[in-house]
């Protein structure tokens, strides 16, 4: 599969063929990708929303006023759900939202997400992420404006250079991820992904190792 490879400053671009990128036909892997994304999102939920039921809400069980003669509707307690500060019926309770995904399903989902990015021409390669000689945010922003003028971008590298991270951390549309922690959710979330050449080699080696 052919991908665009940019120079360090983003001024030049060539197309190169990468043979190790996984290939899929039809809908293979899409269900695994969907299930994996749902699991990642579910596992990020805290599940600590909680309301007070009738037995937990603060108050007394004493009847607030007599049953008849007051011209008001009948009430047995101020803890009732119809009163302010009363109990909540069928409200949220703490629960565990986590889902388990098998390792092979997760690997299939990651490969499918990478294949989709490459097929949609949403994945590009840069020789390396290096800060310009003048460590300025403006200089780094100019590099990525040449590669991708608009939209949010996920940058993937094995380890980011300290000066590069310092110069680019204030660019709102850039996000960073190391190749060792890259997931299918990261690839799906961002419309544009830029790998360093060494990061792509690391990711492809990881995929090929998992498929053995």
């Amino acid at each position: 599969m052919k991908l665009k490879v940019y120079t360090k400053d983003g001024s030049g671009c060539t197309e190169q063929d990468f043979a190790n990128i996984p290939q899929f036909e039809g809908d293979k892997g899409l269900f695994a990708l969907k299930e994996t994304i749902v699991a990642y999102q579910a596992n990020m939920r805290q599940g600590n929303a909680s309301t007070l039921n009738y037995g937990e809400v603060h108050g007394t069980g004493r009847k607030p006023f007599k049953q008849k003669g007051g011209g008001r509707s009948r009430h047995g307690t101020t803890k009732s759900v119809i009163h302010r500060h009363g109990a909540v019926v069928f409200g949220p309770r703490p629960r565990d939202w986590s889902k388990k995904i098998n390792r092979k399903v997760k690997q299939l989902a990651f490969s499918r997400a990478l294949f989709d990015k490459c097929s949609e021409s949403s994945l590009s390669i840069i020789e390396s992420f290096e800060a310009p000689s003048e460590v300025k945010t403006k200089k780094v922003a100019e590099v990525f404006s040449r590669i991708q003028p608009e939209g949010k971008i996920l940058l993937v590298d094995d380890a980011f250079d300290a000066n590069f991270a310092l110069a680019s951390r204030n660019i709102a549309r850039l996000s960073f991820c190391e190749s060792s922690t890259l997931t299918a959710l990261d690839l799906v979330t961002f419309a544009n992904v830029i790998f360093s050449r060494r990061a792509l080699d690391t990711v492809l080696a990881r995929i090929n190792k998992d498929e053995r």
Side-chain angles (χ1 to χ4, degrees):
M1 185 175 291
K2 290 188 176 181
L3 298 175
K4 291 183 178 179
V5 180
Y6 291 87
T7 56
K8 297 176 183 179
D9 60 359
S11 59
C13 172
T14 59
E15 281 196 350
Q16 296 184 20
D17 190 30
F18 292 85
N20 292 334
I21 294 177
Q23 302 290 320
F24 291 88
E25 293 183 0
D27 295 338
K28 182 181 179 181
L30 285 180
F31 182 74
L33 178 58
K34 180 257 183 186
E35 288 295 302
T36 302
I37 296 304
V38 169
Y40 276 128
Q41 293 175 332
N43 292 340
M44 288 189 291
R45 298 185 68 172
Q46 293 181 332
N48 56 5
S50 180
T51 53
L52 299 179
N53 60 29
Y54 192 86
E56 296 171 333
V57 68
H58 177 73
T60 177
R62 182 177 63 86
K63 194 172 177 63
F65 45 79
K66 64 180 182 178
Q67 180 88 344
K68 296 180 180 294
R72 292 176 288 184
S73 59
R74 296 168 291 183
H75 289 290
T77 172
T78 55
K79 296 168 65 175
S80 172
V81 297
I82 66 175
H83 285 288
R84 186 167 180 264
H85 300 306
V88 176
V89 178
F90 305 128
R93 304 292 292 176
R95 60 175 291 185
D96 181 14
W97 290 96
S98 63
K99 294 179 179 291
K100 181 181 181 300
I101 293 293
N102 293 335
R103 180 176 59 87
K104 288 189 175 181
V105 175
K106 193 181 296 185
Q107 292 166 358
L108 177 61
F110 183 77
S111 297
R112 178 70 201 208
L114 185 66
F115 168 75
D116 287 343
K117 280 296 172 190
C118 296
S119 301
E120 297 165 0
S121 300
S122 301
L123 190 149
S124 303
I125 312 297
I126 192 170
E127 289 294 339
S128 63
F129 296 112
E130 293 184 8
S133 56
E134 187 179 4
V135 184
K136 296 280 189 180
T137 300
K138 180 179 179 181
K139 299 294 184 181
V140 176
E142 289 174 355
V143 173
F144 293 103
S145 64
R146 299 186 193 107
I147 299 175
Q148 190 65 43
E150 297 179 351
K152 292 184 177 296
I153 306 174
L154 176 66
L155 308 181
V156 183
D157 199 356
D158 286 350
F160 288 95
D161 177 69
N163 287 333
F164 175 80
L166 182 67
S168 56
R169 64 185 181 183
N170 285 335
I171 303 176
R173 72 191 191 104
L174 297 184
S175 296
F176 306 88
C177 181
E178 292 189 356
S179 56
S180 59
T181 60
L182 185 68
T183 65
L185 180 61
D186 297 323
L187 294 175
V188 171
T189 302
F190 290 86
N192 302 290
V193 182
I194 300 178
F195 280 78
S196 69
R197 184 181 286 275
R198 64 177 181 177
L200 183 63
D201 291 339
T202 301
V203 168
L204 292 179
R206 186 174 95 190
I207 292 175
N208 295 328
K209 178 181 178 181
D210 292 337
E211 289 179 350
R212 292 174 187 172

